C-alpha cells in the first residue's frame, strides 16, 4: 500500500511539473511577442510608406520582423536591434524621434505650445475673475447741488 501511494504521488508531481513547463514557455513567448510588437511600432516600414513595421502586410516586412524576433529570442537588447535596423535602412524610418539634435525640437515644441496655452488660459481666467469681482458702478451718476436744484425746479413746473 505504501508503494502505491508513493507511486501515485510521484505520478501527480510529474503531471504537475510537465503541465507547468508549457505555461512557463507560453509566458516567455507572450513576453517576447509584446517586446517584439513594441519594437515593430518604433520603426516605419521601408516597404509600406507611412505605416509602422507592425502594420505593414508585405512579405519583406514579415521577413524583417522575423529577423528582429529571432534576434530578441537570441538575447539581443531591443536598443541594439533598433540601432541595427536604422543603420541598415536609415534614420528616416524612426517612428519615435531621438532626443538629440533636431529630435529635441520635435519633443520640446509641442510641450512649449501646451505650456503657452496653459499660461494664456490661466491669464484669461484671472482677468475674468478680477473683472467679475470688481464693484459694479451705480447706475445713478453723482450730481452737483446746482444740478439737483435745477432738476427739482423743472419737475415742479410739470406739476
Amino acid at each position: 500500500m505504501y508503494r502505491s501511494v508513493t507511486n501515485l504521488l510521484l505520478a501527480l508531481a510529474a503531471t504537475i511539473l510537465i503541465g507547468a513547463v508549457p505555461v512557463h514557455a507560453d509566458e516567455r513567448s507572450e513576453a517576447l511577442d509584446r517586446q517584439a510588437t513594441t519594437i515593430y511600432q518604433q520603426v516605419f516600414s521601408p516597404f509600406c510608406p507611412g505605416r509602422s513595421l507592425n502594420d505593414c502586410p508585405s512579405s519583406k516586412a514579415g521577413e524583417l520582423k522575423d529577423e528582429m524576433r529571432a534576434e530578441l529570442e537570441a538575447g539581443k537588447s531591443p536598443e541594439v536591434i533598433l540601432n541595427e535596423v536604422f543603420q541598415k535602412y536609415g534614420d528616416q524610418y524612426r517612428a519615435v524621434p531621438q532626443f538629440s539634435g533636431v529630435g529635441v525640437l520635435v519633443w520640446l515644441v509641442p510641450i512649449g505650445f501646451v505650456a503657452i496655452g496653459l499660461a494664456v488660459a490661466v491669464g484669461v481666467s484671472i482677468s475674468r475673475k478680477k473683472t467679475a469681482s470688481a464693484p459694479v458702478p451705480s447706475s445713478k451718476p453723482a450730481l452737483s447741488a446746482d444740478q439737483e436744484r435745477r432738476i427739482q425746479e423743472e419737475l415742479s413746473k410739470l406739476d
Side-chain angles (χ1 to χ4, degrees):
M1 168 134 167
Y2 175 73
R3 229 173 194 200
S4 64
V5 171
T6 305
N7 287 341
L8 181 63
L9 288 175
L10 285 174
L12 182 63
T15 303
I16 289 172
L17 287 175
I18 291 172
V21 171
V23 170
H24 180 68
D26 287 343
E27 288 174 4
R28 177 164 165 67
S29 177
E30 287 176 15
L32 279 172
D33 287 343
R34 284 191 301 273
Q35 198 173 26
T37 300
T38 301
I39 292 173
Y40 304 154
Q41 291 171 343
Q42 295 180 34
V43 179
F44 281 124
S45 174
F47 314 105
C48 299
R51 294 179 116 176
S52 73
L53 188 61
N54 192 51
D55 299 330
C56 181
S58 87
S59 61
K60 291 280 190 188
E63 290 173 13
L64 180 57
K65 288 192 287 189
D66 290 343
E67 289 174 23
M68 293 169 75
R69 169 69 188 236
E71 290 177 351
L72 265 178
E73 288 174 352
K76 269 192 185 177
S77 75
E79 293 79 21
V80 170
I81 295 169
L82 286 171
N83 285 335
E84 289 174 355
V85 169
F86 297 134
Q87 284 176 355
K88 183 175 181 180
Y89 294 102
D91 274 345
Q92 70 269 20
Y93 293 105
R94 279 186 192 277
V96 179
Q98 288 182 309
F99 195 75
S100 65
V102 178
V104 172
L105 290 177
V106 174
W107 287 102
L108 294 181
V109 168
I111 294 170
F113 279 121
V114 168
I116 290 169
L118 286 173
V120 168
V122 167
V124 167
S125 176
I126 290 171
S127 166
R128 286 188 178 182
K129 190 180 258 187
K130 283 181 181 177
T131 304
S133 65
V136 177
S138 67
S139 59
K140 181 179 170 187
L143 299 174
S144 67
D146 187 44
Q147 290 172 330
E148 288 275 342
R149 185 187 50 76
R150 285 186 63 202
I151 291 172
Q152 290 302 323
E153 285 175 7
E154 293 295 323
L155 287 174
S156 63
K157 286 182 188 176
L158 290 175
D159 290 332

